[in-house]
Amino acid sequence: MNKRSFMHALVCSTLALAGSAALAQDNVFKIGLILPMTGQQASTGRQVEAAARLYMAQNGDTVAGKKIQLIVKDDTTVPDMTKRLAQELIVNDKVNVLAGFGITPSALATASLATQSKTPAVVMAAATSSITEASPYFVRTSFTLPQASVSLADWAPKNGIKKVVTLVSDYGPGIDAERFFKDRLLFNGGQVLESLRVPLRNPDFAPFLQKVRDLKPDALFVFVPSGAGAAVMKQFLERGMDKAGIKLIGTGDVTDDDQLNDMGDGALGVVTSHHYSAAHPSALNKKFVEAFRKANKGMRPNFMAVGGYDGMRVIYEALRATKGVGGGDALLAAMKGQIFESPRGPIFIDAQTRDIVQNIYLRKVVKQDGQLYNVEFDVIKDVKDPGKSH
Ligand code: DHB
């Protein structure tokens, strides 16, 4: 072989190699799952990742001829890190879809990147109403705080709770919860005596609870993010608030299934409103909870897990519907309007808002088989995000 034909052969084989690499690449569908695996919201990351992996184990990792690759990144609960990771996933890994987003600031930090790169981004955890308006590429499978709060403000005055103090984490979802709970309670003839906000980072609830005690409301309405509920419950009981006749109510974040069973009997009777309980009595949920436990050393799935599980389904079905040949816009279109049964009950991705429409349940903490659960006793069906009509 002379030098020229050797070079020719070399170039051809290099191209062929590049070609087959490109082909392999074409047959991979990448999901960049950015989660807080460490830091304050680590329980959210743990729950969502476990649920995403369970979905894949149950449904296979090949869809429409593509091999699904899940790339999990830890943003350490720091929004600037979420943004940096999203940029790397888009530019270097060329992910087809972004997903995750444990807290509102992480989702908001990524909005412009999703828009510029036309990458659908499935919000599996964060729950401030305005997130889906920050990018036309956001699709949400978690919930919104207005959704949960309004239903509780309808229930409370009919059940002897007229005077309320609100206590929320001082950022997006807390401010949504405070506002929508208060507006609806006033509309229903109730009263908010005071609205208290606690810092998101390392909150000390004690001085706030002292204030609540002095105000003597019928109930204290609480929103804190997933993972912070146990601390609120502990301090609420330690300060004898329940004995002073003050009820604890809130969105279901406070009686988070990830922590509830360790909160002790002081949590019994606490009423909350939310979209998911591990005790939701459907056949599909029983299967989900059992499979989740089995795959995760007995861990109980919480509302974050169900957001991750359903988010994976939305992605899988969009890929199936576009037959594996669509880009970001085609995938996004196929995510809009999806309707299916989730472990939480029936859900619908509103095509106009890309936000989730779902049942909101009223639940009470009850002991069943020696374990504490949020047992549903009422349902408000097909609740759209009330934040969108404002
Ligand atoms: C958000 C985070 C949570 O852990 C939660 O329970 C609700 C909302 C958020 O940051 O959007």
Side-chain angles (χ1 to χ4, degrees):
M1 197 188 279
N2 64 30
K3 196 175 168 197
R4 198 157 159 210
S5 61
F6 174 77
M7 284 308 288
H8 179 75
L10 190 69
V11 168
C12 284
S13 65
T14 306
L15 280 176
L17 268 177
S20 68
L23 205 68
Q25 189 79 5
D26 277 351
N27 283 325
V28 174
F29 184 90
K30 295 183 183 175
I31 303 170
L33 183 63
I34 311 175
L35 291 168
M37 301 307 301
T38 54
Q40 185 161 316
Q41 298 309 120
S43 68
T44 297
R46 179 163 42 84
Q47 287 272 351
V48 174
E49 182 186 6
R53 294 205 185 281
L54 176 64
Y55 189 87
M56 291 183 73
Q58 290 175 331
N59 294 277
D61 61 0
T62 306
V63 177
K66 301 259 178 179
K67 181 110 175 140
I68 311 268
Q69 188 186 347
L70 189 69
I71 307 173
V72 179
K73 298 282 182 189
D74 175 14
D75 69 15
T76 69
T77 324
V78 176
D80 285 347
M81 179 77 105
T82 318
K83 183 173 184 178
R84 215 182 74 209
L85 292 169
Q87 173 119 30
E88 284 171 15
L89 286 164
I90 293 165
V91 174
N92 302 342
D93 297 290
K94 304 197 167 34
V95 293
N96 301 87
V97 173
L98 287 170
F101 309 107
I103 51 171
T104 291
S106 293
L108 294 178
T110 311
S112 62
L113 290 174
T115 306
Q116 284 158 21
S117 65
K118 298 182 187 297
T119 309
V122 179
V123 180
M124 295 170 159
T128 299
S129 174
S130 64
I131 289 172
T132 40
E133 289 161 338
S135 168
Y137 287 84
F138 275 142
V139 170
R140 177 154 37 201
T141 59
S142 52
F143 73 111
T144 78
L145 267 305
Q147 240 172 6
S149 307
V150 159
S151 303
L152 192 63
D154 282 337
W155 174 85
K158 287 186 247 160
N159 290 275
I161 296 171
K162 296 255 157 58
K163 291 182 185 167
V164 179
V165 173
T166 62
L167 176 69
V168 302
S169 290
D170 190 6
Y171 78 120
I175 290 158
D176 268 1
E178 176 191 286
R179 172 164 157 232
F180 281 82
F181 179 83
K182 181 178 178 177
D183 285 359
R184 185 64 77 104
L185 191 74
L186 294 188
F187 177 80
N188 289 329
Q191 211 182 330
V192 170
L193 303 180
E194 184 121 18
S195 292
L196 307 171
R197 296 180 182 177
V198 296
L200 174 62
R201 305 244 165 247
N202 309 311
D204 176 12
F205 300 105
F208 296 96
L209 291 175
Q210 188 52 50
K211 188 148 193 204
V212 175
R213 237 195 120 123
D214 297 341
L215 287 162
K216 294 192 175 52
D218 299 323
L220 173 65
F221 167 87
V222 174
F223 165 79
V224 287
S226 185
V232 174
M233 187 70 75
K234 183 164 177 277
Q235 294 187 30
F236 185 87
L237 297 172
E238 273 172 9
R239 305 208 143 239
M241 310 283 284
D242 54 333
K243 297 202 174 63
I246 301 168
K247 291 198 169 68
L248 179 64
I249 59 173
T251 56
D253 311 70
V254 72
T255 54
D256 187 344
D257 270 308
D258 192 69
Q259 298 186 314
L260 177 60
N261 204 34
D262 299 321
M263 289 186 194
D265 287 356
L268 286 168
V270 170
V271 171
T272 56
S273 54
H274 229 206
H275 56 290
Y276 179 69
S277 165
H280 179 64
S282 71
L284 185 65
N285 186 51
K286 289 203 171 101
K287 242 181 77 189
F288 169 67
V289 173
E290 204 170 297
F292 189 93
R293 279 188 194 285
K294 218 170 149 193
N296 297 286
K297 303 191 177 85
M299 179 159 76
R300 187 194 290 188
N302 72 355
F303 62 98
M304 293 304 188
V306 86
Y309 192 73
D310 293 338
M312 289 300 284
R313 188 195 193 278
V314 165
I315 296 168
Y316 267 51
E317 289 309 314
L319 178 56
R320 209 184 311 280
T322 52
K323 302 186 167 54
V325 294
D329 282 320
L331 286 167
L332 180 72
M335 290 179 183
K336 293 179 185 176
Q338 283 194 30
I339 180 163
F340 59 92
E341 190 192 350
S342 150
R344 68 185 102 178
I347 68 171
F348 169 53
I349 305 297
D350 186 325
Q352 255 73 55
T353 61
R354 293 160 279 99
D355 221 331
I356 187 164
V357 180
Q358 59 191 334
N359 294 344
I360 296 295
Y361 305 90
L362 287 156
R363 316 97 48 85
K364 181 183 253 177
V365 177
V366 166
K367 203 172 235 180
Q368 281 183 346
D369 306 324
Q371 311 258 313
L372 297 181
Y373 281 102
N374 294 296
V375 172
E376 297 165 358
F377 64 85
D378 202 359
V379 55
I380 300 96
K381 292 211 167 137
D382 304 328
V383 181
K384 276 191 172 199
D385 173 30
K388 296 297 183 295
S389 53
H390 279 243

